[in-house]
Amino acid sequence: RRAIESHYHTVEISSLLPASVCSPSTKGHSKRPSTLKVFHRHGPCSKHSQDNATPSLDEILTHDQSRVDSIQHKINLNAEMDKVKDKKAALPVQSGRALGSGNYIVTLGLGTPKKSLSLIFDTGSDLTWTQCQPCARVCYKQQDPIFNPIASTTYSNVSCSSTRCSQLSTTTGNDPSCSTKTCVYGIQYGDQSFSIGFFSQDTLTISSSDLVPKFYFGCGQNNQGLFGNTAGLLGLGRDSLSFVSQTAQRYGKYFSYCLPSSSSSTGHLTFGKSGVSSNVKFTPFAASRGTSFYFIDIVGISVGMTQLSIRPSVFKTPGTIIDSGTVITRLPPAAYKALSTEFKKQMKKYPSVPAYSILDTCYDLSKYTTISIPKISFTFGGNVKVDLAPSGILIVINSSRVCLAFAANSDASD
Amino acid sequence: VGILGNVQQTTLEVVYDVAGGKLGFAPGGC
């Protein structure tokens, strides 16, 4: 009995629902230098939660699918470009990255004196940008005052002739342009959201004792799309202009985060090795396609006591990335089918209900206060087994619809 | 590609050792 119980989570339904008041985490944050508090964009810990434009879960999942489509497109494009390079030919390149609903935000300081900005943090993109006055074309409404470069004594524009300006081609997928000798960036995401503006440098403040001088970022003059009321985006990808690369000397390309289990609690984003848990298990990054994404290898999935029968090539052929900006994990169709089939089998005592958006395995748990759900574990390369938290297994749509929080890619080659 | 999304990463401490070429996970990060 004890062995069986160790393969199940006993979950109070109420614990899956966000509370109306913020309960900050006592772990991680404030114990270490270079640590930022992470909170959900639409929860009570965020000052953005009062935003009237808070999307429904259905809208979030629709945006999530736009982001996923765009990631697939970008990686396929990289594969095509690799073929092109082999052939020493050239094709026109179009950038495509959906921002969708980035969901988790951190607050940083920019400029001198510093101005606080709430940015979506994203391991699936590279360029850090914020909306800038005078908003020559369009700025969307944001919660923080829009950054005014004229008011910062440490702000400068980047010249068109600088090496950093030319690096924008890989960072954004678009060649930079030039306006009165100032480098102009343009980044467009797969859902047609975009930011265009001056490529700039200024001091970025992580904490009162931790400043990054001459940080390269986009000072957006024309920003439109699904950015909510945030001030922009913090790019934590692998490319040369990402925050991670720009601060390599300071933090050694090492960062960690914890995303809270509900929108009413907080997590942390920490730069540098200091204070990382001693019980971390590491999996090697897999060979990357493109310069941005973090690839890892999934080698197996278990549900409760059952190890799913999935051929290694199902994961190996398309590959897998980890992304803080995608909401729902996408699995190859064969892997998802095995997962959902076994999950349904072990959840058969609970009444099922119709699909919701991209989520097709849903239950009516309104008559229960406590449920027992099978643990789901992922095994990554290097035999690293990771148990998902209950919040990583089920997502609550409403009191009568709770769904398995996974979805399938539409094509095995995605 | 498959994508490990943020719902599945909740409560884990996720550690990016980019220079060391590895990604770490630990339970109970927040």
Side-chain angles (χ1 to χ4, degrees):
Chain A
R1 181 183 172 87
R2 199 172 297 155
I4 291 170
E5 283 175 352
S6 71
H7 288 86
Y8 285 80
H9 291 290
T10 301
V11 182
E12 287 187 31
I13 297 290
S14 59
S15 71
L16 296 172
L17 298 165
S20 57
V21 292
C22 179
S23 306
S25 169
T26 53
K27 290 185 182 176
H29 185 252
S30 79
K31 287 183 189 168
R32 312 179 207 165
S34 314
T35 293
L36 298 163
K37 192 182 286 183
V38 167
F39 42 92
H40 199 280
R41 193 165 121 191
H42 305 303
C45 300
S46 167
K47 57 187 175 184
H48 301 261
S49 64
Q50 303 308 316
D51 174 11
N52 290 331
T54 297
S56 67
L57 182 61
D58 191 34
E59 288 170 315
I60 287 173
L61 295 180
T62 301
H63 298 160
D64 204 44
Q65 191 56 45
S66 294
R67 180 184 177 96
V68 168
D69 291 344
S70 178
I71 287 171
Q72 307 291 6
H73 171 76
K74 182 174 164 55
I75 288 174
N76 287 338
L77 202 62
N78 283 325
E80 291 303 314
M81 286 304 288
D82 287 344
K83 287 179 196 167
V84 168
K85 281 176 193 161
D86 289 344
K87 292 176 184 170
K88 297 189 189 309
L91 280 177
V93 177
Q94 284 185 312
S95 172
R97 280 188 231 177
L99 190 64
S101 177
N103 288 330
Y104 292 97
I105 56 181
V106 291
T107 302
L108 295 148
L110 184 64
T112 309
K114 72 164 186 179
K115 299 294 178 190
S116 287
L117 300 172
S118 296
L119 304 178
I120 296 164
F121 88 88
D122 187 8
T123 63
S125 69
D126 299 294
L127 182 71
T128 297
W129 63 266
T130 188
Q131 298 199 104
C132 274
Q133 290 186 22
C135 298
R137 283 292 297 276
V138 175
C139 283
Y140 56 83
K141 187 182 159 208
Q142 68 174 54
Q143 191 75 32
D144 306 308
I146 292 175
F147 184 70
N148 184 1
I150 293 173
S152 173
T153 57
T154 43
Y155 177 90
S156 62
N157 286 324
V158 175
S159 81
C160 303
S161 57
S162 80
T163 308
R164 287 300 202 178
C165 182
S166 62
Q167 288 173 339
L168 282 169
S169 297
T170 58
T171 302
T172 65
N174 294 318
D175 289 336
S177 56
C178 207
S179 173
T180 57
K181 295 185 179 174
T182 295
C183 182
V184 174
Y185 76 93
I187 185 162
Q188 185 174 20
Y189 301 92
D191 59 0
Q192 308 305 315
S193 298
F194 64 86
S195 174
I196 300 167
F198 299 114
F199 194 43
S200 312
Q201 280 186 298
D202 207 337
T203 300
L204 195 63
T205 301
I206 310 299
S207 66
S208 55
S209 61
D210 212 355
L211 277 61
V212 183
K214 296 187 175 176
F215 180 76
Y216 290 92
F217 69 102
C219 205
Q221 299 294 327
N222 187 5
N223 319 285
Q224 298 178 50
L226 300 168
F227 306 114
N229 280 356
T230 64
L233 192 142
L234 176 66
L236 293 175
R238 294 168 45 241
D239 195 72
S240 57
L241 286 175
S242 76
F243 177 92
V244 177
S245 296
Q246 286 195 53
T247 59
Q249 296 286 327
R250 177 181 298 255
Y251 302 123
K253 290 193 172 184
Y254 199 106
F255 68 100
S256 59
Y257 58 74
C258 180
L259 307 178
S261 60
S262 86
S263 59
S264 55
S265 55
T266 60
H268 67 89
L269 170 63
T270 300
F271 301 108
K273 269 187 185 176
S274 168
V276 168
S277 308
S278 56
N279 59 343
V280 177
K281 293 183 285 188
F282 284 98
T283 180
F285 284 124
S288 288
R289 278 172 275 161
T291 57
S292 240
F293 298 116
Y294 294 101
F295 279 81
I296 51 175
D297 282 327
I298 298 175
V299 295
I301 301 174
S302 64
V303 179
M305 291 195 290
T306 305
Q307 182 71 38
L308 301 182
S309 177
I310 303 169
R311 282 179 292 111
S313 61
V314 166
F315 295 115
K316 195 75 183 172
T317 303
T320 305
I321 63 167
I322 181 166
D323 179 17
S324 69
T326 295
V327 179
I328 299 293
T329 288
R330 302 313 203 271
L331 294 171
Y336 179 74
K337 188 166 185 357
L339 171 69
S340 61
T341 301
E342 183 59 33
F343 190 79
K344 282 175 191 163
K345 202 168 139 189
Q346 297 191 33
M347 290 284 285
K348 65 184 176 194
K349 66 178 170 181
Y350 298 110
S352 62
V353 291
Y356 179 87
S357 182
I358 56 172
L359 308 171
D360 68 4
T361 303
C362 301
Y363 299 91
D364 178 359
L365 303 176
S366 58
K367 292 183 174 60
Y368 301 84
T369 52
T370 302
I371 55 168
S372 178
I373 60 170
K375 287 185 178 174
I376 294 180
S377 303
F378 275 56
T379 304
F380 298 103
N383 203 28
V384 169
K385 191 174 183 188
V386 178
D387 288 342
L388 303 185
S391 55
I393 298 173
L394 290 176
I395 190 163
V396 176
I397 314 302
N398 54 47
S399 59
S400 57
R401 187 147 54 173
V402 176
C403 300
L404 177 65
F406 289 83
N409 276 328
S410 55
D411 192 299
S413 65
D414 279 349
Chain B
V1 293
I3 304 171
L4 194 63
N6 63 36
V7 164
Q8 279 65 39
Q9 299 173 44
T10 51
T11 78
L12 294 169
E13 177 141 33
V14 185
V15 182
Y16 290 69
D17 182 357
V18 182
K22 57 189 181 180
L23 179 78
F25 296 98
C30 56

